[in-house]
Amino acid sequence: MMTEESGRNEQSVLRKLAVPIVIGAAVGFVTMFGVSKLTSGDLLAGLSKAAEMAVLVGAFYILAGVGVGLGALRPRIGAKILNVEDVEELEEQKGKLLTSCIAMALWGAALIIIALGGEGGIIAPLPALIGGVAMLVIGSGFAWVSYRASDELMQMLNAEATVLAYSLTLGVVGVWAMAAHLDLARAQEPIEMLTMFYVIAMLATFIAAGRRGLLAPR
């Protein structure tokens, strides 16, 4: 009996993992394909590789925010995709998730606007700066609302992710800047630094969540 029950639990876990993995892989492929097609066209042909990478990272932020947000708006569907115990838990987390998702999407939009406003872009520098900063500030406002509504565990998770992101940024961006200053590496492009902040913030969040067991199938 224990063996059969264990087998059923394992199959349940695998099914729980399979759906988000497949969806994540599909979203990642579509994002990369779409950005590749967009930047290879005549309209954005002048973008640098660093700017293209920024657009890709920004698009990932937007799609992730929209995807999780839609799951939160449709708890019965979202419970099958997102890593939650059941529909009831997702309904309880709905408000906090939505504000967090809006923040993530706006931050992604900010990065894309800035990337499209640089050399070879399609947005004039000043409007790009105003639009990018506006998206960043408004997104931060939604993130703050989500943080204030979070329980103690999530607030501690956010604090750990922030400290980890700072350490990783100092280790990656800081060491690179040191090497560039000493002519041991090429200087960083501003858009590269901005993109790295985004990537490191996401990585730090995943690491902090993993350390607290929040990435384990539920």
Side-chain angles (χ1 to χ4, degrees):
M1 291 292 293
M2 290 297 293
T3 302
E4 293 179 1
E5 183 177 351
S6 176
R8 286 195 296 270
N9 290 337
E10 184 176 348
Q11 290 177 356
S12 177
V13 169
L14 290 175
R15 284 196 299 270
K16 186 74 174 180
L17 283 173
V19 174
I21 288 176
V22 170
I23 293 177
V27 170
F29 174 79
V30 171
T31 302
M32 293 184 65
F33 181 79
V35 171
S36 176
K37 284 294 185 182
L38 181 64
T39 55
S40 63
D42 294 336
L43 185 63
L44 301 178
L47 283 184
S48 66
K49 293 297 181 183
E52 289 181 13
M53 182 58 67
V55 172
L56 179 62
V57 173
F60 175 80
Y61 263 72
I62 292 175
L63 289 176
V66 171
V68 176
L70 290 176
L73 286 173
R74 295 290 184 268
R76 293 190 179 278
I77 298 176
K80 299 178 181 179
I81 301 173
L82 305 177
N83 191 25
V84 294
E85 291 184 355
D86 49 34
V87 176
E88 287 71 22
E89 180 185 358
L90 188 54
E91 289 177 341
E92 291 176 2
Q93 301 290 331
K94 182 177 179 179
K96 290 173 284 189
L97 273 177
L98 285 177
T99 51
S100 180
C101 289
I102 292 173
M104 193 169 186
L106 289 173
W107 287 337
L111 183 58
I112 292 176
I113 290 172
I114 295 299
L116 296 182
E119 184 178 352
I122 59 174
I123 306 177
L126 185 57
L129 179 62
I130 294 173
V133 171
M135 294 294 100
L136 192 63
V137 170
I138 297 172
S140 297
F142 278 101
W144 178 249
V145 171
S146 178
Y147 174 78
R148 292 293 301 271
S150 299
D151 55 25
E152 185 177 353
L153 173 62
M154 294 307 298
Q155 290 185 359
M156 291 178 63
L157 174 64
N158 280 318
E160 290 179 9
T162 300
V163 173
L164 184 57
Y166 172 79
S167 301
L168 289 173
T169 300
L170 187 61
V172 176
V173 181
V175 171
W176 188 356
M178 292 176 187
H181 177 71
L182 297 172
D183 292 327
L184 297 175
R186 68 172 179 83
Q188 306 164 41
E189 294 182 34
I191 193 64
E192 285 179 321
M193 294 181 62
L194 185 59
T195 303
M196 280 192 289
F197 292 152
Y198 274 71
V199 173
I200 288 173
M202 178 68 70
L203 178 61
T205 301
F206 272 102
I207 293 175
R211 290 178 60 185
R212 289 190 169 272
L214 297 180
L215 298 183
R218 302 172 64 185

